[in-house]
């Protein structure tokens, strides 16, 4: 029995030392200096304990009554700690209801014309649309005019890194052209290929679901889920105008599609790690381009089977975050974005709506609401104070954290990028190396783990982590040319 006890204690210590070592390797690989130092200290501490254990063993300490008592005490406290950390705490029933779990009163469908991007891009001073909109929304006219004067929500692109980051702006704008091109009416509502015009596919929902999800992943999506389309999350009227299609402005959006296929693409950790500098915007735009490319092809595929509309940057008919929550891709975080278990908030979304019969997924509970209540890191680090520190409040009939979009865009305008600091600092955004996967597995099921790892994150990464450099082609610092 004593031998078994010794063996278990030695194994537990060695396993902890090995986990400490994986933390150290992971932190070095992530180029996180501070985390590497703390991980090294942690690893050395565990290694010291292992050595001390074998020293005590060599002097027969564990043969004494006190030694046996120490072994038992260590083992029991270890087991209790392990149990407290891994047991599943009560499910959050609201999270399992998806977006319905957030509803706390009457919800008015959002009019896309009121969206800051639509206001800025579609309302040209002097036009009929401009006069009509500001007659009913006079409070926004002055601030919108001032924003337009400064160049729109992103102001002068790349201001924060100018002139060294101008090449990153050039690359970001190149990617932005793709969603613009793919937002033409025939591409967001593709017609079936002539080969399929007279034929209607009859396919069981199970098969259609497998084929559609598989094709979406094949096109490059990292996560894909399906939900029944809740009409509450469909914009009531179109507000964005492209290709001079002015008849579209104010057009009522029909909600006759029954399903939404929602997908995410991971954003590069290195690039997001630079936020609010230009590489992060380059990455956002690359992801939007990829999302538009996936959505357009997926919609064309479904159009050949039935009918579909692509939703991507520059052409949204739906609000994608609540749809993604309903499709089981993650939960809404304090920062106002979707937070996924696999990549945290470090994702961009796209969707295709359709009436082809599919099997919907179920919303998930990954512990976000509880985690965000204690964490608050995004709110503390947000340079414009746009993320609330308080508990969720009721916004248009939904109980959630309200992001102050106007001040957030003010900051974007100042730096000339889409910032992404909140995304960068979120503890769920770390690389999915073994130790981080282990932490996510624990925090998504256990309340104590959530509290423990918010503190650990502050220790390892700092309360307000700094933006990183990218030592590659997308650098935003003066280019260093090697001497010949
Ligand atoms: S994008 Fe930047 S300014 Fe906007 S909420 Fe996030 S951290 Fe704040
Ligand atoms: S930083 Fe913290 S509070 Fe903000 S979304 Fe991430 S987990 Fe939630």
């Amino acid at each position: 029995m004593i031998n078994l006890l010794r063996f278990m204690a030695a194994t537990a210590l060695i396993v902890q030392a090995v986990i400490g070592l994986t933390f150290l390797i992971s932190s070095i690989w992530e180029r996180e200096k501070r985390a590497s130092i703390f991980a090294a200290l942690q690893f050395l501490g565990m290694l010291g304990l292992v050595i001390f254990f074998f020293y005590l063993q060599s002097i027969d300490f564990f043969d004494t009554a006190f030694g046996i008592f120490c072994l038992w005490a260590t083992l029991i406290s270890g087991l209790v700690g392990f149990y407290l950390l891994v047991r599943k705490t009560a499910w959050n029933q609201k999270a399992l209801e998806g977006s319905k779990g957030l509803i706390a009163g009457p919800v008015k469908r959002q009019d896309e014309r009121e969206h800051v991007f639509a206001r800025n891009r579609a309302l040209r001073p002097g036009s009929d649309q401009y006069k009509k909109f500001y007659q009913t929304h006079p409070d926004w006219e002055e601030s919108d005019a001032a924003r337009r004067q400064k160049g729109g929500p992103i102001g002068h692109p790349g201001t924060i890194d100018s002139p060294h980051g101008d090449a990153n702006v050039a690359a970001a704008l190149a990617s932005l052209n793709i969603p613009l091109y793919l937002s033409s009416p025939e591409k967001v509502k593709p017609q079936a290929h002539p080969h399929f015009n007279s034929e209607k596919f009859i396919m069981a929902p199970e098969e259609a679901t497998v084929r559609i999800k598989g094709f979406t992943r094949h096109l490059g999506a990292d996560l894909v889920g399906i939900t029944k389309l809740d009409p509450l999350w469909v914009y009531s009227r179109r507000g964005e105008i492209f290709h001079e299609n002015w008849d579209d402005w104010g057009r009522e959006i029909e909600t006759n599609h029954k399903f939404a296929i929602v997908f995410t693409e991971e954003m590069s950790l290195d690039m997001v790690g630079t936020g609010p500098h230009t590489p992060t915007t380059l990455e956002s735009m690359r992801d939007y381009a990829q999302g538009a490319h996936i959505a357009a092809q997926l919609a064309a595929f479904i159009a050949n089977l039935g009918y579909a509309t692509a939703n991507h940057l520059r052409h949204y008919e739906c609000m994608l975050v609540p749809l993604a929550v309903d499709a089981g891709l993650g939960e809404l975080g304090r920062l106002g974005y979707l937070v996924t278990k696999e990549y945290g908030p470090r994702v961009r979304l796209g969707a295709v709506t359709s009436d082809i019969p599919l099997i919907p997924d179920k919303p998930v509970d990954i512990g976000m609401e509880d985690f965000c209540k204690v964490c608050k890191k995004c709110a503390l680090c947000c340079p414009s104070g746009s993320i609330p520190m308080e508990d969720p409040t009721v916004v248009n009939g939904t109980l959630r954290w309200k992001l102050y979009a106007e001040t957030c865009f003010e900051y974007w305008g100042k730096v000339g990028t889409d910032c992404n600091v909140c995304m960068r600092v979120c503890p769920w955004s770390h690389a999915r190396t073994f130790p981080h996967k282990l932490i996510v597995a624990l925090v998504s099921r256990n309340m104590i783990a959530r509290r423990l790892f918010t503190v650990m994150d502050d220790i390892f990464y700092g309360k307000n982590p700094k933006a990183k450099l990218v030592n590659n082609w997308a650098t935003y610092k003066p280019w260093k040319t090697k001497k010949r």
Side-chain angles (χ1 to χ4, degrees):
M1 184 66 187
I2 300 301
N3 281 342
L4 180 66
L5 260 183
R6 281 183 198 154
F7 174 75
M8 286 171 72
T11 309
L13 286 175
I14 291 169
V15 166
Q16 287 186 54
V18 170
I19 291 177
L21 182 62
T22 63
F23 259 105
L24 177 58
I25 294 169
S26 165
S27 305
I28 293 170
W29 180 79
E30 289 174 58
R31 295 187 293 116
E32 292 284 357
K33 270 192 209 146
R34 181 186 168 117
S36 302
I37 292 168
F38 279 98
L41 290 176
Q42 187 195 27
F43 169 62
L44 291 175
M46 289 315 302
L47 198 64
L49 278 179
V50 172
I51 293 167
F52 187 55
F53 179 89
F54 283 105
Y55 166 72
L56 291 177
Q57 168 85 2
S58 71
I59 60 167
D60 297 332
F61 173 72
F62 297 122
D63 292 337
T64 65
F66 184 58
I68 294 169
F69 169 78
C70 287
L71 273 182
W72 275 111
T74 311
L75 189 70
I76 290 169
S77 54
L79 284 175
V80 170
F82 181 72
Y83 171 73
L84 288 176
L85 214 58
V86 299
R87 87 200 153 103
K88 173 81 188 96
T89 41
W91 289 105
N92 178 355
Q93 290 304 328
K94 279 196 318 182
L96 295 175
E97 288 173 40
S99 64
K100 282 199 175 54
L102 303 174
I103 293 178
V107 181
K108 189 171 150 266
R109 276 173 62 197
Q110 197 170 333
D111 185 333
E112 199 194 21
R113 290 175 298 185
E114 292 173 356
H115 196 283
V116 66
F117 280 113
R119 272 152 46 200
N120 183 72
R121 288 194 284 239
L123 300 174
R124 295 177 190 168
S127 68
D128 290 347
Q129 290 81 4
Y130 186 99
K131 286 179 206 146
K132 193 171 165 190
F133 183 81
Y134 289 114
Q135 264 166 17
T136 46
H137 300 81
D139 292 353
W140 281 333
E141 184 167 6
E142 207 180 304
S143 55
D144 283 359
R147 186 176 287 131
R148 252 180 236 109
Q149 281 278 318
K150 290 180 197 162
I154 291 213
H156 182 74
T159 306
I160 188 171
D161 298 335
S162 194
H164 315 294
D166 287 354
N168 289 338
V169 174
L173 295 177
S175 295
L176 186 61
N177 275 338
I178 303 293
L180 178 60
Y181 169 71
L182 290 172
S183 66
S184 65
E186 68 277 13
K187 294 207 170 55
V188 291
K189 283 197 175 162
Q191 301 302 311
H193 188 281
H195 179 69
F196 293 103
N197 263 351
S198 55
E199 297 173 30
K200 261 275 178 205
F201 258 80
I202 309 289
M203 200 186 283
E206 290 80 5
E207 184 185 345
T209 301
V210 171
R211 285 188 181 277
I212 284 171
K213 281 187 172 180
F215 188 56
T216 314
R217 285 196 197 94
H218 182 68
L219 291 171
D222 293 302
L223 303 174
V224 54
I226 292 172
T227 177
K228 281 192 177 157
L229 181 58
D230 187 334
L232 283 181
W233 314 129
V234 180
Y235 285 115
S236 57
R237 286 177 188 276
R238 282 283 288 151
E240 287 271 22
I241 293 300
F242 298 106
H243 307 279
E244 300 302 313
N245 183 17
W246 287 100
D247 292 345
D248 224 21
W249 191 82
R251 171 176 63 79
E252 202 173 337
I253 300 177
E254 295 159 9
T255 59
N256 53 359
H257 281 175
K258 293 187 184 67
F259 295 96
I261 302 115
V262 194
F263 61 86
T264 68
E265 313 125 58
E266 182 187 4
M267 293 179 70
S268 145
L269 183 68
D270 276 354
M271 300 293 237
V272 170
T274 66
H277 293 277
T278 44
T280 201
T281 301
L282 194 167
E283 177 61 3
S284 297
M285 295 308 143
R286 184 203 65 79
D287 258 66
Y288 282 129
Q290 191 189 357
H293 163 265
I294 294 171
Q297 287 185 76
L298 179 63
F301 169 49
I302 302 174
N304 287 341
L305 305 176
Y307 186 71
T309 300
N311 280 259
H312 54 73
L313 179 73
R314 298 283 175 121
H315 193 282
Y316 294 119
E317 290 203 340
C318 307
M319 297 161 71
L320 299 195
V321 174
L323 293 189
V325 168
D326 289 343
L329 297 183
E331 284 187 63
L332 181 66
R334 181 185 288 273
L335 77 180
Y337 294 147
L338 175 82
V339 182
T340 66
K341 192 172 171 183
E342 292 78 1
Y343 310 104
R346 211 166 30 82
V347 293
R348 293 285 171 197
L349 293 169
V352 169
T353 61
S354 173
D355 52 8
I356 188 167
L358 296 167
I359 309 286
D361 292 290
K362 291 195 169 72
V364 291
D365 166 20
I366 57 169
M368 250 2 262
E369 189 185 347
D370 189 40
F371 195 99
C372 288
K373 271 190 182 156
V374 271
C375 172
K376 303 183 181 174
K377 202 163 191 164
C378 52
L380 279 164
C381 299
C382 171
S384 63
S386 303
I387 301 174
M389 294 286 285
E390 313 79 49
D391 281 347
T393 48
V394 177
V395 187
N396 185 23
T398 53
L399 185 65
R400 60 186 164 93
W401 285 286
K402 171 155 174 54
L403 177 82
Y404 299 104
E406 300 295 322
T407 46
C408 170
F409 289 127
E410 281 299 315
Y411 184 73
W412 287 24
K414 217 159 100 189
V415 289
T417 70
D418 62 344
C419 176
N420 286 338
V421 166
C422 45
M423 192 184 277
R424 165 169 67 77
V425 301
C426 177
W428 290 69
S429 279
H430 295 308
R432 286 303 185 259
T433 51
F434 167 73
H436 288 301
K437 279 188 182 164
L438 185 68
I439 292 171
V440 167
L442 291 173
V443 297
S444 56
R445 54 183 286 119
N446 184 277
M447 220 169 161
I448 296 173
R450 286 169 207 152
R451 276 134 191 87
L452 178 67
F453 287 112
T454 44
V455 177
M456 296 287 283
D457 199 84
D458 284 350
I459 295 173
F460 276 69
Y461 295 92
K463 276 186 185 301
N464 193 346
K466 297 281 165 282
K468 284 200 231 162
L469 284 172
V470 265
N471 298 320
N472 61 19
W473 55 271
T475 182
Y476 56 89
K477 291 284 180 193
W479 189 266
K480 285 191 184 121
T481 312
K482 283 185 189 153
K483 283 185 187 150
R484 285 169 189 254

PDB file of all heavy atoms in Angstrom, residues 1 7 28 89 111 171 180 194 200 208 249 322 339 384 435 456 470 479:
ATOM      1  N   MET A   1       0.821  -1.215   0.000  1.00  0.00           N
ATOM      2  CA  MET A   1       0.000   0.000   0.000  1.00  0.00           C
ATOM      3  C   MET A   1       0.864   1.278   0.000  1.00  0.00           C
ATOM      4  O   MET A   1       0.628   2.214  -0.750  1.00  0.00           O
ATOM      5  CB  MET A   1      -0.919  -0.038   1.230  1.00  0.00           C
ATOM      6  CG  MET A   1      -1.893   1.117   1.289  1.00  0.00           C
ATOM      7  SD  MET A   1      -3.094   1.044  -0.074  1.00  0.00           S
ATOM      8  CE  MET A   1      -3.919   2.563   0.123  1.00  0.00           C
ATOM      9  N   PHE A   7       4.296   5.558  -5.334  1.00  0.00           N
ATOM     10  CA  PHE A   7       4.262   5.558  -6.801  1.00  0.00           C
ATOM     11  C   PHE A   7       3.297   6.641  -7.311  1.00  0.00           C
ATOM     12  O   PHE A   7       3.614   7.421  -8.223  1.00  0.00           O
ATOM     13  CB  PHE A   7       3.841   4.166  -7.299  1.00  0.00           C
ATOM     14  CG  PHE A   7       3.633   4.116  -8.775  1.00  0.00           C
ATOM     15  CD1 PHE A   7       4.731   4.101  -9.648  1.00  0.00           C
ATOM     16  CD2 PHE A   7       2.350   4.111  -9.318  1.00  0.00           C
ATOM     17  CE1 PHE A   7       4.541   4.071 -11.016  1.00  0.00           C
ATOM     18  CE2 PHE A   7       2.162   4.090 -10.688  1.00  0.00           C
ATOM     19  CZ  PHE A   7       3.254   4.065 -11.544  1.00  0.00           C
ATOM     20  N   ILE A  28       7.345  29.715 -25.266  1.00  0.00           N
ATOM     21  CA  ILE A  28       8.486  30.108 -26.115  1.00  0.00           C
ATOM     22  C   ILE A  28       8.016  30.129 -27.575  1.00  0.00           C
ATOM     23  O   ILE A  28       8.301  31.067 -28.326  1.00  0.00           O
ATOM     24  CB  ILE A  28       9.677  29.146 -25.917  1.00  0.00           C
ATOM     25  CG1 ILE A  28      10.221  29.305 -24.500  1.00  0.00           C
ATOM     26  CG2 ILE A  28      10.774  29.408 -26.943  1.00  0.00           C
ATOM     27  CD1 ILE A  28      11.249  28.264 -24.086  1.00  0.00           C
ATOM     28  N   THR A  89     -19.653  21.840 -13.623  1.00  0.00           N
ATOM     29  CA  THR A  89     -20.587  22.657 -12.840  1.00  0.00           C
ATOM     30  C   THR A  89     -21.900  22.747 -13.617  1.00  0.00           C
ATOM     31  O   THR A  89     -21.970  22.378 -14.787  1.00  0.00           O
ATOM     32  CB  THR A  89     -20.012  24.059 -12.566  1.00  0.00           C
ATOM     33  OG1 THR A  89     -19.372  24.525 -13.732  1.00  0.00           O
ATOM     34  CG2 THR A  89     -19.007  24.051 -11.451  1.00  0.00           C
ATOM     35  N   ASP A 111     -32.589  47.779 -38.480  1.00  0.00           N
ATOM     36  CA  ASP A 111     -32.606  48.363 -39.816  1.00  0.00           C
ATOM     37  C   ASP A 111     -31.142  48.609 -40.220  1.00  0.00           C
ATOM     38  O   ASP A 111     -30.430  49.359 -39.531  1.00  0.00           O
ATOM     39  CB  ASP A 111     -33.385  49.692 -39.742  1.00  0.00           C
ATOM     40  CG  ASP A 111     -33.574  50.317 -41.107  1.00  0.00           C
ATOM     41  OD1 ASP A 111     -32.751  50.065 -41.995  1.00  0.00           O
ATOM     42  OD2 ASP A 111     -34.555  51.074 -41.260  1.00  0.00           O
ATOM     43  N   ALA A 171      -2.075  46.077 -48.867  1.00  0.00           N
ATOM     44  CA  ALA A 171      -2.475  44.667 -48.916  1.00  0.00           C
ATOM     45  C   ALA A 171      -3.898  44.491 -48.388  1.00  0.00           C
ATOM     46  O   ALA A 171      -4.703  43.743 -48.962  1.00  0.00           O
ATOM     47  CB  ALA A 171      -1.494  43.830 -48.099  1.00  0.00           C
ATOM     48  N   LEU A 180     -16.244  43.150 -52.024  1.00  0.00           N
ATOM     49  CA  LEU A 180     -16.988  44.153 -52.797  1.00  0.00           C
ATOM     50  C   LEU A 180     -17.416  43.546 -54.139  1.00  0.00           C
ATOM     51  O   LEU A 180     -18.576  43.645 -54.554  1.00  0.00           O
ATOM     52  CB  LEU A 180     -16.098  45.387 -53.016  1.00  0.00           C
ATOM     53  CG  LEU A 180     -16.727  46.503 -53.846  1.00  0.00           C
ATOM     54  CD1 LEU A 180     -18.006  47.009 -53.181  1.00  0.00           C
ATOM     55  CD2 LEU A 180     -15.758  47.660 -54.022  1.00  0.00           C
ATOM     56  N   PRO A 194     -27.157  26.479 -65.472  1.00  0.00           N
ATOM     57  CA  PRO A 194     -28.153  25.993 -66.443  1.00  0.00           C
ATOM     58  C   PRO A 194     -28.359  24.478 -66.391  1.00  0.00           C
ATOM     59  O   PRO A 194     -29.447  23.979 -66.614  1.00  0.00           O
ATOM     60  CB  PRO A 194     -27.560  26.407 -67.796  1.00  0.00           C
ATOM     61  CG  PRO A 194     -26.612  27.499 -67.490  1.00  0.00           C
ATOM     62  CD  PRO A 194     -26.167  27.363 -66.083  1.00  0.00           C
ATOM     63  N   LYS A 200     -34.885  19.699 -59.767  1.00  0.00           N
ATOM     64  CA  LYS A 200     -34.877  19.993 -58.328  1.00  0.00           C
ATOM     65  C   LYS A 200     -34.249  18.805 -57.629  1.00  0.00           C
ATOM     66  O   LYS A 200     -34.638  17.666 -57.874  1.00  0.00           O
ATOM     67  CB  LYS A 200     -36.318  20.162 -57.815  1.00  0.00           C
ATOM     68  CG  LYS A 200     -36.744  21.602 -57.702  1.00  0.00           C
ATOM     69  CD  LYS A 200     -36.297  22.174 -56.376  1.00  0.00           C
ATOM     70  CE  LYS A 200     -36.694  23.635 -56.293  1.00  0.00           C
ATOM     71  NZ  LYS A 200     -35.853  24.400 -55.401  1.00  0.00           N
ATOM     72  N   ALA A 208     -28.019  16.224 -47.106  1.00  0.00           N
ATOM     73  CA  ALA A 208     -27.741  17.627 -47.475  1.00  0.00           C
ATOM     74  C   ALA A 208     -26.854  18.281 -46.419  1.00  0.00           C
ATOM     75  O   ALA A 208     -25.918  19.027 -46.746  1.00  0.00           O
ATOM     76  CB  ALA A 208     -29.059  18.387 -47.620  1.00  0.00           C
ATOM     77  N   TRP A 249     -31.484  50.395 -51.454  1.00  0.00           N
ATOM     78  CA  TRP A 249     -31.456  51.149 -50.191  1.00  0.00           C
ATOM     79  C   TRP A 249     -32.882  51.227 -49.611  1.00  0.00           C
ATOM     80  O   TRP A 249     -33.809  51.710 -50.266  1.00  0.00           O
ATOM     81  CB  TRP A 249     -30.910  52.566 -50.423  1.00  0.00           C
ATOM     82  CG  TRP A 249     -30.612  53.280 -49.126  1.00  0.00           C
ATOM     83  CD1 TRP A 249     -29.492  53.160 -48.365  1.00  0.00           C
ATOM     84  CD2 TRP A 249     -31.446  54.217 -48.449  1.00  0.00           C
ATOM     85  NE1 TRP A 249     -29.560  53.951 -47.270  1.00  0.00           N
ATOM     86  CE2 TRP A 249     -30.756  54.621 -47.293  1.00  0.00           C
ATOM     87  CE3 TRP A 249     -32.702  54.759 -48.708  1.00  0.00           C
ATOM     88  CZ2 TRP A 249     -31.284  55.537 -46.387  1.00  0.00           C
ATOM     89  CZ3 TRP A 249     -33.223  55.677 -47.804  1.00  0.00           C
ATOM     90  CH2 TRP A 249     -32.520  56.059 -46.664  1.00  0.00           C
ATOM     91  N   PRO A 322     -25.684  36.383 -33.491  1.00  0.00           N
ATOM     92  CA  PRO A 322     -26.722  35.527 -32.893  1.00  0.00           C
ATOM     93  C   PRO A 322     -26.976  34.244 -33.690  1.00  0.00           C
ATOM     94  O   PRO A 322     -27.271  33.199 -33.107  1.00  0.00           O
ATOM     95  CB  PRO A 322     -27.976  36.421 -32.865  1.00  0.00           C
ATOM     96  CG  PRO A 322     -27.667  37.609 -33.701  1.00  0.00           C
ATOM     97  CD  PRO A 322     -26.187  37.727 -33.781  1.00  0.00           C
ATOM     98  N   VAL A 339     -17.464  34.086 -29.196  1.00  0.00           N
ATOM     99  CA  VAL A 339     -16.260  33.444 -28.664  1.00  0.00           C
ATOM    100  C   VAL A 339     -16.418  31.933 -28.873  1.00  0.00           C
ATOM    101  O   VAL A 339     -17.370  31.332 -28.406  1.00  0.00           O
ATOM    102  CB  VAL A 339     -16.041  33.757 -27.172  1.00  0.00           C
ATOM    103  CG1 VAL A 339     -14.747  33.115 -26.677  1.00  0.00           C
ATOM    104  CG2 VAL A 339     -15.990  35.265 -26.946  1.00  0.00           C
ATOM    105  N   SER A 384     -10.534  52.712 -25.923  1.00  0.00           N
ATOM    106  CA  SER A 384     -11.573  53.753 -25.971  1.00  0.00           C
ATOM    107  C   SER A 384     -12.647  53.557 -24.902  1.00  0.00           C
ATOM    108  O   SER A 384     -13.637  54.287 -24.880  1.00  0.00           O
ATOM    109  CB  SER A 384     -12.241  53.746 -27.358  1.00  0.00           C
ATOM    110  OG  SER A 384     -12.895  52.508 -27.560  1.00  0.00           O
ATOM    111  N   PRO A 435      -1.199  22.915 -23.657  1.00  0.00           N
ATOM    112  CA  PRO A 435      -1.629  23.486 -22.365  1.00  0.00           C
ATOM    113  C   PRO A 435      -2.871  24.368 -22.489  1.00  0.00           C
ATOM    114  O   PRO A 435      -3.738  24.347 -21.621  1.00  0.00           O
ATOM    115  CB  PRO A 435      -0.418  24.305 -21.897  1.00  0.00           C
ATOM    116  CG  PRO A 435       0.588  24.242 -22.956  1.00  0.00           C
ATOM    117  CD  PRO A 435       0.201  23.256 -23.979  1.00  0.00           C
ATOM    118  N   MET A 456      -4.432  33.369 -13.421  1.00  0.00           N
ATOM    119  CA  MET A 456      -3.209  32.861 -14.053  1.00  0.00           C
ATOM    120  C   MET A 456      -2.889  33.627 -15.345  1.00  0.00           C
ATOM    121  O   MET A 456      -1.733  33.896 -15.651  1.00  0.00           O
ATOM    122  CB  MET A 456      -3.369  31.373 -14.407  1.00  0.00           C
ATOM    123  CG  MET A 456      -3.541  30.470 -13.215  1.00  0.00           C
ATOM    124  SD  MET A 456      -2.027  30.265 -12.307  1.00  0.00           S
ATOM    125  CE  MET A 456      -1.172  29.131 -13.354  1.00  0.00           C
ATOM    126  N   VAL A 470       5.501  41.785 -35.645  1.00  0.00           N
ATOM    127  CA  VAL A 470       5.604  40.627 -36.537  1.00  0.00           C
ATOM    128  C   VAL A 470       6.925  40.776 -37.271  1.00  0.00           C
ATOM    129  O   VAL A 470       7.158  41.780 -37.936  1.00  0.00           O
ATOM    130  CB  VAL A 470       4.458  40.539 -37.576  1.00  0.00           C
ATOM    131  CG1 VAL A 470       3.340  39.663 -37.118  1.00  0.00           C
ATOM    132  CG2 VAL A 470       3.969  41.894 -38.010  1.00  0.00           C
ATOM    133  N   TRP A 479      11.607  49.176 -41.951  1.00  0.00           N
ATOM    134  CA  TRP A 479      12.202  47.969 -42.555  1.00  0.00           C
ATOM    135  C   TRP A 479      13.703  47.960 -42.315  1.00  0.00           C
ATOM    136  O   TRP A 479      14.365  48.965 -42.533  1.00  0.00           O
ATOM    137  CB  TRP A 479      11.906  47.968 -44.061  1.00  0.00           C
ATOM    138  CG  TRP A 479      12.288  46.692 -44.733  1.00  0.00           C
ATOM    139  CD1 TRP A 479      13.449  46.418 -45.367  1.00  0.00           C
ATOM    140  CD2 TRP A 479      11.489  45.515 -44.813  1.00  0.00           C
ATOM    141  NE1 TRP A 479      13.443  45.140 -45.853  1.00  0.00           N
ATOM    142  CE2 TRP A 479      12.240  44.569 -45.540  1.00  0.00           C
ATOM    143  CE3 TRP A 479      10.214  45.154 -44.374  1.00  0.00           C
ATOM    144  CZ2 TRP A 479      11.779  43.289 -45.810  1.00  0.00           C
ATOM    145  CZ3 TRP A 479       9.749  43.893 -44.637  1.00  0.00           C
ATOM    146  CH2 TRP A 479      10.521  42.980 -45.355  1.00  0.00           C
TER     147      TRP A 479
END
